[in-house]
Every structure is written in C-alpha cells, then in structure tokens.
Amino acid sequence: MPENNPPLSALADPERRAAAAGQVMSSGLVVLALSLLLGIQPVTTDLYLPALPAITAEFGASLAQAQLTLSGMLLAFGLSQLVWGPVSDRFGRRPVLLAGLAGYTVAAAASALAQSMEALVVWRIVQGAAMGASVMCARALVRDLYCPELGARVISKGLTGLGVIACLNLPLGGFLAEAFGWRITLLAPALFAAAALGLVALRFRETLGTPNPRALAPSVLLRTWRQILAHPTFWAFTLLSAASYGGLFTILAMSSFVFITLMGMSKFGYGLLMVSMTASYLFGTVYCRHLLVRVGVRRAVTIGGGFSALGGTLLGVLALAGVDTPWGLMPAVWLFAIGHGIHQACGQAGAVGPFPQAAGAASALSGFLMMLVAFGMGSWLGLTVDGSLFPMASGVWFWGVVTALVAWGMVRRVRL
C-alpha cells in the first residue's frame, strides 16, 4: 500500500475517519510537519550547547546550574506531556499544537533576554512545558493516520528530517555564539517555532477522527493510564526509546564541556564535530526503513541493539585506555548514534501502536518516562562531573548496554 494513502480498510471506524481527515494533507506535508514538530526538540537542546560554557561563565554559575537549563527543561517537557496528551485526545491535535507552539515562541524569546541563570532556568522550563505539545502530537498523529508498522516507517522519515535539522544546529549554534554572542543561540529557537506555528496554522488539518469527550474525566483518564501501563508492548518500546535517549542525552549534556573546555576545541569546530554524530544518526534512520522492509521490527531492533552496545562499550574502553582526542572518540559515538536512529523510530511508533483510541495519552506517558530518564541522568551528571571524560563515557556505556538488553530481551517477547 502506498505511504501517501494511510487508511487501511480493516481499521476501526474512528481510524478511517481520522485517515480521511489526514488525506487533506499530502504525505509530503505530513512528513514536513513531523520533521518540524519533532525537530523542535534538537533545536531546543542542541543549538545553544556551543554557548553553554560561555553562559555559565557570564552568570558565574556552577556546572550543576548550567545542567539545569537542559535537565530542568526536559523534566518539564516530560511532565507537560501528561497534560497535553489527554487534552489532545479530548479537543484534537491542531488546537494543542497551536497553543503549545505559541507558548514556546514566547518562552524562547524571553530566555534570550534572561538577566540571571535562575531566570534562564525558569524560562527554559516554560519552553520545555510548551515543547511537550509539539512532540507529543507528532507521535500521536502518526498513530491517528497509520497502522503501527507503517507508522514506524513514516516516523523514521520525520526523524530523518529531524536529523537534518539537528545537523545544522551545532555548527549554526557555534557560528552564532562566536559571531553574535550566546543570546542569539537562545533566540533562534523562537524563530524556528514561529515558522512551525505558521505551517500548523495555515496548512495542518486535524488528524483525530473522533475526539473523546470524556478523555479528561478523572476516572476515564486513570483507567486509560492503567491500561497503557499494564501493556507489555508499551513498556518494551518505551524503555527502548528511553534507554537509547539516555545515552544520547549524556552526549548532549557533556560533549561541549568535554570537547571545548577539556580538549580545547573551538565552538565552531565542536559544532562540526557533532555534525558527524548527527550524520550517523541520519544514516540510522534511513537504515531503519531498509530494515523494516527487509526483516521487520524485531530484527531491526535487534540489529540496532548491537550498534548501541558496541558504541557504548567502545567509548568506555577508549576512555579507560586514555584516548583524549575528539576524533579518536568519535567512532564510538557514531556507532551509538546509528543505533539511536533505529531505536527511536521503532520505539516511538511501537509504544503508541496498541492504543489507537488513546494515542495522545500513550504518547504522553512514553514521552514522560523518556524525559524522566533524561532528568535523572542530568542530575547524576551534575553531581559526578569531575573535569574528566569518564562521566560521559561511563554514562553512554551504561545506556548502550541497557538499550541492547531491552532490544534483545523485552522487544523480542512482546506482541506487535
């Protein structure tokens, strides 16, 4: 069945109605919307990373405070999805997207004007809460329009678009920080969100076929969450995504300090270095689509687990061996990033797959648990950073092994 014709005649009536609404949008527009809605996350997390040491120095803040601009934002991002998900099941994806993107634009602009680290942390937290609407709705609308296996292929295309955006973030952030100062790296996400808001306002059509008028009733919401949390498929794919993101978050949170502060790279050079990681992630998303067609979801995830374990273990071994050059460490990061490109497409589609009538709530819970892992990792890094490579290397090593264990164990046993 062609991917620009998402509805399947065998699906339930609400799904056919959702697909009919989605047909107003071309498949290209759906992928573009997914790329922007998912891409707002790396824009928020990556673009300012080259400037993070300068921000920390200007405000005279500690490294733990600096980490809060990332980990605090991600915790708010995760928590907010628990609200946005049921709201979108009740009122639809489009109004939630409009509200979230508008709030994000305002918060991003305010963060660029912050006069203290405390104010910056607060506005970044507001940014994260608003960003939850965008990413949650992106995952939910895929389930609105597509069956789970086809959804994994479609979301992998959106993640490829995310990868292209992420490729531009770090070198652009390095250039902006060098040329115009760190505040511009915090203002740029506001412009990105404004562009996404314009696309949603002008071109996006509602994908939820039948809103649930009782989605926000406490008894219904608690029953829905209980059913989702009791489903082994949800846990298998959510833990897959969360463990893989835990490793990526470790790299994002620590790489600027390791490569710029510890190893002496320029901000722009660091940006180019990280482009190579994103290119590996891009390869992983494309390779994922190839694997899904050739060998299916389980085998694709099994192969991805191999990349995750190999990359994490190699980085740990290189650190123990005393390798202290950026390009000497990057082969391990590339391997991990390829695995991440495979796991995110399969994990995000798989977690919401069993819940066509509650895709928003399932997407929200999955996203919350993923960000809870990131917040916990950020808190741990803030306490254990010692001016060496080892916190980053050991963190990626740990999450690489955990990702592989989930891929080789839990995912293989669940019903797809």
Side-chain angles (χ1 to χ4, degrees):
M1 175 172 293
E3 290 189 10
N4 63 351
N5 183 27
L8 300 176
S9 59
L11 294 180
D13 287 343
E15 288 191 330
R16 289 204 299 270
R17 288 194 291 272
Q23 282 183 319
V24 176
M25 299 185 291
S26 67
S27 60
L29 179 58
V30 172
V31 171
L32 174 61
L34 282 174
S35 298
L36 293 178
L37 297 176
L38 294 170
I40 199 170
Q41 185 174 351
V43 166
T44 308
T45 57
D46 298 4
L47 191 64
Y48 87 123
L49 287 180
L52 192 53
I55 295 171
T56 306
E58 177 157 333
F59 286 138
S62 66
L63 182 57
Q65 287 177 304
Q67 290 293 340
L68 271 178
T69 65
L70 187 60
S71 59
M73 180 272 297
L74 289 175
L75 180 62
F77 170 54
L79 285 169
S80 72
Q81 293 180 65
L82 297 177
V83 177
W84 291 121
V87 170
S88 76
D89 285 338
R90 170 62 183 87
F91 296 105
R93 316 304 181 203
R94 190 173 188 274
V96 167
L97 284 172
L98 291 172
L101 288 168
Y104 179 98
T105 302
V106 172
S111 71
L113 301 174
Q115 297 302 309
S116 67
M117 181 61 81
E118 291 77 13
L120 178 58
V121 169
V122 168
W123 282 114
R124 290 281 292 177
I125 288 173
V126 176
Q127 256 183 285
M131 182 173 69
S134 175
V135 177
M136 181 284 303
C137 282
R139 292 193 296 259
L141 73 88
V142 170
R143 188 61 188 95
D144 291 340
L145 299 175
Y146 302 95
C147 65
E149 187 156 351
L150 185 54
R153 293 167 58 189
V154 173
I155 204 169
S156 74
K157 291 183 178 182
L159 290 171
T160 299
L162 176 154
V164 172
I165 293 169
C167 266
L168 300 175
N169 282 330
L170 288 166
L172 178 61
F175 169 76
L176 291 175
E178 293 277 11
F180 304 106
W182 62 264
R183 292 188 185 275
I184 299 300
T185 67
L186 294 172
L187 181 61
L191 303 177
F192 180 91
L197 178 61
L199 177 71
V200 171
L202 296 174
R203 300 293 304 279
F204 186 84
R205 299 294 179 263
E206 183 57 61
T207 61
L208 182 63
T210 306
N212 181 357
R214 301 196 63 221
L216 295 175
S219 60
V220 174
L221 189 56
L222 289 174
R223 184 168 63 251
T224 300
W225 282 346
R226 186 167 59 249
Q227 290 171 348
I228 293 169
L229 292 172
H231 204 295
T233 300
F234 170 82
W235 279 110
F237 284 104
T238 293
L239 290 177
L240 181 74
S241 297
S244 184
Y245 189 76
L248 180 71
F249 175 83
T250 303
I251 297 170
L252 294 177
M254 291 301 302
S255 59
S256 61
F257 292 97
V258 167
F259 294 132
I260 296 175
T261 304
L262 183 62
M263 298 183 181
M265 292 193 77
S266 70
K267 296 181 180 67
F268 186 69
Y270 163 73
L272 293 178
L273 185 80
M274 299 306 286
V275 165
S276 69
M277 180 189 78
T278 309
S280 299
Y281 165 79
L282 272 173
F283 173 79
T285 65
V286 175
Y287 186 40
C288 176
R289 293 200 293 276
H290 169 77
L291 291 174
L292 288 171
V293 173
R294 295 290 298 274
V295 298
V297 173
R298 285 194 180 89
R299 184 62 176 161
V301 167
T302 299
I303 293 171
F307 281 106
S308 301
L310 181 59
T313 301
L314 179 60
L315 185 60
V317 170
L318 290 173
L320 291 173
V323 176
D324 60 358
T325 62
W327 291 108
L329 298 172
M330 287 309 293
V333 175
W334 295 334
L335 289 169
F336 187 89
I338 292 172
H340 186 68
I342 296 170
H343 295 313
Q344 287 305 297
C346 295
Q348 292 186 30
V352 301
F355 312 103
Q357 307 305 320
S363 173
L365 280 171
S366 179
F368 165 71
L369 292 169
M370 190 186 305
M371 291 309 109
L372 192 62
V373 166
F375 179 78
M377 194 62 195
S379 300
W380 181 82
L381 289 171
L383 295 173
T384 58
V385 168
D386 58 2
S388 75
L389 169 64
F390 290 106
M392 184 178 85
S394 60
V396 177
W397 192 353
F398 171 79
W399 289 116
V401 172
V402 171
T403 303
L405 292 176
V406 174
W408 297 339
M410 294 180 69
V411 173
R412 290 175 63 87
R413 292 196 296 267
V414 298
R415 181 186 302 173
L416 300 179

